[in-house]
Amino acid sequence: MNFDEQRMLMVTRQIQARGVHDRRVLDTMARIPRHLFVSESRLSSAYGDFPLPIGEGQTISQPYMVATMTESLGLSGNERVLEIGTGSGYQAAVLSELAQEVITIERVESLGNAARKRLAELGYGNVEVIVGDGTLGWPDGAPYQGVMVTAGAPSAPTPLLQQLDVGGRLVVPVGERHTQILEIHTRQEKDKYKVHRETACRFVNLIGKHGWS
Ligand code: SAM
């Protein structure tokens, strides 16, 4: 099976079948060449129903997790989105096709630099990759209409809640070091947030001032 066929099956069997219905998310994930975000030795598994190692002890998330987290932001195309945990750059690429602008922060310098190069080569011109502690957010770009954390946190980092626009959503896996629940925080008013808890999940740790030590 070629990559196009594998990608279509990924969308129908892994993502749509589990209840993700946002057409824009499905179409975007049916288009983006996920195999270009993994190493050559992982090419044959690029469209598998699981996360994959990307080096430095980190992973590219399972396609379904990418889809459901993206859907939960409810993007329409005009948003500025902050992602914490660039990793391979795949999630940033998905967000970049669904929002106006994406700022993504990666803690591990080698991963951040590789993702910046990859995204530029693939033509994702509306993504800025920053190397640093994403738990602090990026105040220069705030407020954000969407924030996504792609690593597991002990709690939703306060700076990220503060940098959320009124009406904006923060999606973050929260829990223990080895297992979390996906939380969606909506900033309803300046001082009023609503939290909704969804799927159980398992992410690598968010390490930083407002994450794990
Ligand atoms: N979104 C990525 C992708 O599409 O490939 C997958 C991200 S991976 C599951 C989690 C990433 O979060 C790792 O690359 C890790 O280094 C990064 N990370 C952990 N703590 C961080 C922090 N405080 N700031 C920024 N990145 C962090």
Side-chain angles (χ1 to χ4, degrees):
M1 223 188 299
N2 66 32
F3 287 130
D4 290 351
E5 289 168 334
Q6 290 184 45
R7 198 156 56 242
M8 289 317 295
L9 285 184
M10 171 191 87
V11 170
T12 53
R13 292 189 185 166
Q14 301 173 30
I15 298 175
Q16 248 178 326
R18 289 194 181 110
V20 174
H21 297 304
D22 184 327
R23 197 66 254 168
R24 295 179 72 235
V25 174
L26 298 173
D27 290 347
T28 297
M29 292 188 64
R31 213 167 36 237
I32 295 186
R34 181 173 161 96
H35 60 279
L36 299 183
F37 292 81
V38 303
S39 64
E40 243 173 82
S41 62
R42 307 274 174 193
L43 274 181
S44 60
S45 311
Y47 294 95
D49 193 11
F50 36 76
L52 283 173
I54 55 169
E56 308 284 355
Q58 306 303 328
T59 53
I60 175 174
S61 306
Q62 179 195 24
Y64 168 68
M65 266 301 145
V66 173
T68 191
M69 289 175 81
T70 305
E71 182 176 61
S72 72
L73 289 183
L75 301 172
S76 64
N78 303 315
E79 300 84 357
R80 184 166 52 249
V81 175
L82 178 68
E83 183 202 14
I84 311 305
T86 315
S88 67
Y90 175 69
Q91 174 73 73
V94 172
L95 292 170
S96 84
E97 295 214 6
L98 296 167
Q100 192 162 53
E101 190 185 345
V102 179
I103 295 172
T104 177
I105 308 180
E106 173 54 54
R107 180 179 161 268
V108 179
E109 189 172 8
S110 59
L111 292 178
N113 289 341
R116 185 185 297 114
K117 185 165 174 278
R118 178 179 294 125
L119 288 162
E121 282 169 2
L122 293 173
Y124 293 102
N126 61 342
V127 184
E128 185 181 355
V129 180
I130 291 161
V131 172
D133 178 4
T135 68
L136 302 170
W138 189 253
D140 288 359
Y144 301 98
Q145 290 75 49
V147 178
M148 182 186 291
V149 182
T150 63
S155 60
T158 308
L160 303 184
L161 288 165
Q162 288 167 342
Q163 289 169 35
L164 203 56
D165 205 357
V166 172
R169 293 183 199 165
L170 160 70
V171 56
V172 53
V174 171
E176 304 302 321
R177 278 190 182 264
H178 297 291
T179 167
Q180 305 91 26
I181 303 271
L182 216 53
E183 287 189 358
I184 298 151
H185 296 252
T186 306
R187 189 170 199 170
Q188 295 180 304
E189 294 166 27
K190 188 172 178 295
D191 296 315
K192 190 174 168 201
Y193 295 83
K194 181 184 76 179
V195 59
H196 172 71
R197 292 184 177 82
E198 278 201 351
T199 334
C201 51
R202 182 185 289 248
F203 277 83
V204 295
N205 290 171
L206 180 75
I207 296 167
K209 185 158 183 233
H210 299 269
W212 296 102
S213 52

